[in-house]
Amino acid sequence: MNKFKIFSLALVATTIANAQDLEPAKKAIDAEQFEKAKSLLKSVVEAKPSNGKAAFLLGTIYLKQNISDSASIYFKKGLAGTDGGRLNNIGLAQLDLDANNKAAAQAKFDLVTKDLKRKTPKNMYISHVPI
């Protein structure tokens, strides 16, 4: 029982730390301070390669700036992440749509949505992608 409490506490602390790492970057993105956000997210991705959500956010910034090759690099890195790794399929699907490859994009969207409930943040990201 004691080991369970320690493990639970460690899991909660890790989750909170990951959320705190991304908050300044999210605020910078909202303020359209993309260079600052890229710098913050690159440091998170380098420190924690398993943070797929940070790679997704970084790739999304590159997409907004029309730098698709860098976006693709970070989306592909993010797929290996355990925390939010599937989100990166959304970015890769957007790249497929930009390349006019609707079938590949739909396949990637299907990978993301197959295990999700109705309204989750991942579905909200998908809803912003023009098809």
Side-chain angles (χ1 to χ4, degrees), residues 5-131:
K5 287 180 184 177
I6 292 171
F7 178 73
S8 297
L9 184 60
L11 182 63
V12 168
T14 303
T15 304
I16 291 171
N18 282 341
Q20 289 175 345
D21 289 343
L22 298 179
E23 279 308 310
K26 287 179 183 178
K27 288 180 182 179
I29 292 168
D30 289 341
E32 295 186 4
Q33 298 172 342
F34 297 126
E35 295 306 314
K36 179 180 178 182
K38 283 196 297 190
S39 170
L40 292 168
L41 290 168
K42 282 180 184 178
S43 65
V44 172
V45 169
E46 288 173 10
K48 297 178 187 171
S50 65
N51 193 331
K53 188 164 186 172
F56 172 73
L57 291 172
L58 187 54
T60 302
I61 292 171
Y62 281 115
L63 268 182
K64 286 182 181 185
Q65 295 179 326
N66 293 322
I67 308 172
S68 59
D69 55 341
S70 294
S72 177
I73 289 169
Y74 283 102
F75 289 140
K76 288 176 182 174
K77 279 185 182 181
L79 284 176
T82 54
D83 178 31
R86 275 196 295 175
L87 279 174
N88 292 283
N89 280 315
I90 298 169
L92 291 171
Q94 179 62 50
L95 290 171
D96 286 337
L97 285 175
D98 291 346
N100 217 13
N101 190 349
K102 292 182 181 181
Q106 187 61 50
K108 287 179 178 76
F109 286 137
D110 290 343
L111 281 172
V112 176
T113 59
K114 72 179 179 180
D115 296 328
L116 299 179
K117 298 204 178 192
R118 187 175 165 116
K119 277 286 187 182
T120 65
K122 294 173 183 103
N123 279 347
M124 288 187 244
Y125 279 118
I126 292 172
S127 68
H128 295 303
V129 176
I131 296 180

